Amino acid sequence: MQSANMLLRKIVRSSVLPFTAQHGMKKDLFPLSRTLSLSLCLKQDKSCEPSEKLDLDEWKKVMKSGLQEEVSEMVSEPKELSSLAAARETLEMWRLAGRAVPEKISEEQLKTFMECPSKSAKKKYLKYLYLKELYKKNDKRKMDEKRERRLEAQDEASKTDETKKSSFVCLWTSTMDKAYNWRAAQSMIFGQPLVFDMSYEKEMSFREVTNTVRQLVMSESCNRRSVDPFHIHFCNFKDDSLYQREFIKHYREAWDKLLITVTDQCYTEIFPKDKLIYLTADSPKVMKTFDHDKIYIVGSMVDKSIKTGVSLARAKRLGLETAALPLEKYLLWSTGAKNLTLDQMMHILLTLKDTADWKKALEFVPKRKYCGFVNKPVKDLKKTLDLINTLKLEKAREEVEKKFAKNYPKKYKLKQK
């Protein structure tokens, strides 16, 4: 039996081990050879009969079948990887040949390239990817060039304008601010008062209050830069109100330095009633001329839902005179309500105060709200507008009748009978 074991080891070393070394499975077969030798030794211990022989043919069959299974498993795993590698090699060859192939291609794009049905489809797909990559490179290059040009221009401007900014612009702004503040200070002593009624906070939403404050800030800046500014009064102004918080957001530290009068008193307690005129779009009385001796009141309200008569009712309760701007007298009003923003009202009043010209003043009305200025008498214009409207209605009726006759001829005939 010892000679048989020696013979078996020689066969394994000479035939099986070189085959496994070629296919990288040497480690897996060593325990197999050992188990065979051990099994033979155990058989020798159990039965020492000389008639037993080793069946080498069956053992060879078992070994060959195991090797074939392992080799097939190893071949099936890298199939997909090998196909992707082959596709990449073909792309590299096409790139070296001078064809339109993108430099960078993802795995998904490579899979779609492999799934193309024909060679021409593959070429078209690669050309599409190549052009896409080319456009991206060009866009990036243009953006980089723009950035470089902008940075160079900024550097040049900063170098050339440093002296100008430091010497002229800063001096100009400081002197103009001083001049504006001087005018505003003079208006607080000698100027005509203009009152903003701040008692409408409860009737507005948070968004409407913020819009009102924004318009008031614009009105104050416009008034400060005018030739003959008003002395602005914020009456009925409550401390720690939403108005005050929004003003502090806009002005910050400059809120306490503004050259305006802020008070919680009503305007009837400060000024005589016979001099007060409440400007409201709902007033039946139309303002004809600007009076420099009167004190005009503007309601600080931005009403998105357009609640008519609120400011008029307040003026009537206080027993004040009211007036409306003569919009219909000078403008061909087309659409929308006749309510204007606070900064537009400030522009109009400042222009009237300086020039007393209604046409110049009403140029600050948004052009979307009117067709043009009135050149004819109002009665003639109303007649022409009525005629135009009637003609439009007649044309509309004729078109409706034609459509009805076309769609329902029987009913149209019965209707005529």
Side-chain angles (χ1 to χ4, degrees):
M1 278 310 282
Q2 289 179 0
S3 61
N5 285 332
M6 292 292 290
L7 181 64
L8 182 62
R9 285 176 186 173
K10 284 180 182 180
I11 290 165
V12 169
R13 284 175 186 172
S14 61
S15 62
V16 179
L17 291 178
F19 182 79
T20 56
Q22 286 177 2
H23 295 279
M25 294 181 290
K26 188 172 180 181
K27 290 181 182 178
D28 297 332
L29 281 169
F30 274 126
L32 224 157
S33 62
R34 286 174 186 171
T35 52
L36 283 168
S37 61
L38 286 168
S39 63
L40 287 169
C41 292
L42 287 169
K43 283 181 181 179
Q44 183 183 358
D45 293 335
K46 285 181 181 178
S47 58
C48 297
E49 294 178 0
S51 61
E52 289 183 0
K53 291 181 180 180
L54 183 66
D55 195 354
L56 291 175
D57 295 330
E58 290 183 4
W59 179 78
K60 284 179 182 179
K61 287 177 183 178
V62 172
M63 290 295 293
K64 282 180 182 179
S65 63
L67 285 169
Q68 285 174 0
E69 286 175 2
E70 288 180 0
V71 169
S72 62
E73 286 177 1
M74 289 182 70
V75 169
S76 61
E77 281 177 2
K79 260 187 183 179
E80 190 176 351
L81 294 171
S82 63
S83 60
L84 289 171
R88 286 190 185 278
E89 284 179 3
T90 54
L91 289 176
E92 193 64 32
M93 287 170 65
W94 287 4
R95 191 184 290 110
L96 292 170
R99 292 182 182 176
V101 179
E103 292 181 0
K104 293 179 182 179
I105 189 165
S106 62
E107 286 187 2
E108 292 179 359
Q109 291 173 350
L110 201 63
K111 285 177 183 177
T112 52
F113 167 74
M114 289 164 63
E115 289 171 1
C116 289
S118 61
K119 193 175 181 180
S120 61
K122 287 180 180 178
K123 285 181 181 178
K124 286 179 182 178
Y125 181 67
L126 286 174
K127 192 175 180 181
Y128 160 72
L129 292 176
Y130 174 75
L131 291 172
K132 191 178 177 182
E133 191 179 45
L134 196 67
Y135 289 145
K136 280 186 179 178
K137 283 181 180 178
N138 287 332
D139 291 338
K140 192 178 179 182
R141 180 178 55 78
K142 287 176 183 177
M143 290 292 289
D144 292 337
E145 287 176 358
K146 280 183 182 179
R147 195 182 294 108
E148 286 176 3
R149 285 199 296 269
R150 189 172 65 248
L151 289 170
E152 286 176 1
Q154 285 177 359
D155 291 337
E156 288 177 1
S158 62
K159 285 176 183 177
T160 54
D161 295 342
E162 270 178 3
T163 54
K164 291 180 181 179
K165 282 182 181 178
S166 59
S167 60
F168 178 72
V169 177
C170 293
L171 182 65
W172 174 260
T173 52
S174 63
T175 50
M176 289 306 294
D177 282 335
K178 286 177 182 177
Y180 292 148
N181 290 331
W182 176 251
R183 285 179 190 170
Q186 279 187 328
S187 70
M188 289 186 76
I189 304 166
F190 306 108
Q192 182 181 357
L194 178 67
V195 177
F196 284 98
D197 189 1
M198 311 293 288
S199 61
Y200 295 100
E201 183 180 341
K202 293 180 181 178
E203 296 176 10
M204 290 188 291
S205 63
F206 176 76
R207 188 177 179 183
E208 288 171 347
V209 171
T210 53
N211 287 334
T212 305
V213 170
R214 184 174 58 81
Q215 291 176 16
L216 286 168
V217 170
M218 293 167 69
S219 302
E220 188 274 328
S221 65
C222 169
N223 179 67
R224 192 168 61 89
R225 294 180 183 185
S226 64
V227 178
D228 186 12
F230 288 104
H231 178 198
I232 293 175
H233 287 73
F234 287 167
C235 294
N236 298 315
F237 192 91
K238 306 294 180 186
D239 290 333
D240 200 21
S241 61
L242 187 57
Y243 278 124
Q244 188 179 16
R245 290 197 291 272
E246 290 298 318
F247 273 121
I248 290 167
K249 278 183 187 177
H250 280 276
Y251 287 110
R252 296 181 182 176
E253 295 176 357
W255 168 245
D256 296 325
K257 299 176 184 178
L258 284 178
L259 297 171
I260 59 173
T261 301
V262 181
T263 178
D264 58 349
Q265 291 181 325
C266 185
Y267 31 84
T268 54
E269 298 173 4
I270 303 169
F271 306 106
K273 281 189 179 182
D274 57 345
K275 284 192 175 183
L276 294 172
I277 298 175
Y278 210 111
L279 296 175
T280 172
D282 303 317
S283 176
K285 189 178 177 181
V286 179
M287 183 178 173
K288 293 179 180 178
T289 55
F290 184 85
D291 195 346
H292 293 269
D293 296 327
K294 297 287 184 180
I295 299 164
Y296 293 98
I297 305 166
V298 180
S300 301
M301 180 173 58
V302 173
D303 190 8
K304 295 290 182 184
S305 58
I306 308 174
K307 297 173 184 175
T308 56
V310 177
S311 55
L312 181 64
R314 181 169 179 78
K316 282 184 177 179
R317 279 199 305 271
L318 295 169
L320 300 176
E321 186 183 349
T322 60
L325 296 178
L327 300 175
E328 288 186 350
K329 186 178 178 181
Y330 293 96
L331 300 174
L332 291 168
W333 202 263
S334 57
T335 55
K338 294 181 177 65
N339 296 324
L340 302 174
T341 59
L342 300 175
D343 53 323
Q344 290 165 6
M345 285 293 297
M346 178 62 83
H347 279 292
I348 290 166
L349 292 172
L350 284 168
T351 311
L352 284 172
K353 187 182 179 184
D354 295 338
T355 62
D357 189 354
W358 279 105
K359 285 190 176 180
K360 282 186 180 179
L362 295 176
E363 283 178 357
F364 293 101
V365 177
K367 291 183 180 179
R368 67 178 184 276
K369 291 191 172 185
Y370 65 94
C371 303
F373 285 92
V374 175
N375 295 320
K376 295 180 180 179
V378 180
K379 290 181 181 179
D380 297 339
L381 288 168
K382 281 185 178 179
K383 285 179 182 179
T384 53
L385 287 169
D386 291 336
L387 282 169
I388 290 164
N389 290 326
T390 51
L391 288 169
K392 283 181 180 178
L393 286 170
E394 285 176 3
K395 283 183 180 179
R397 282 175 189 170
E398 286 175 2
E399 287 177 359
V400 169
E401 282 182 0
K402 283 179 183 178
K403 285 181 181 178
F404 185 76
K406 196 175 182 180
N407 294 327
Y408 307 101
K410 292 180 181 180
K411 289 182 180 180
Y412 183 70
K413 287 176 181 178
L414 290 167
K415 192 177 179 182
Q416 282 184 341
K417 288 177 181 179

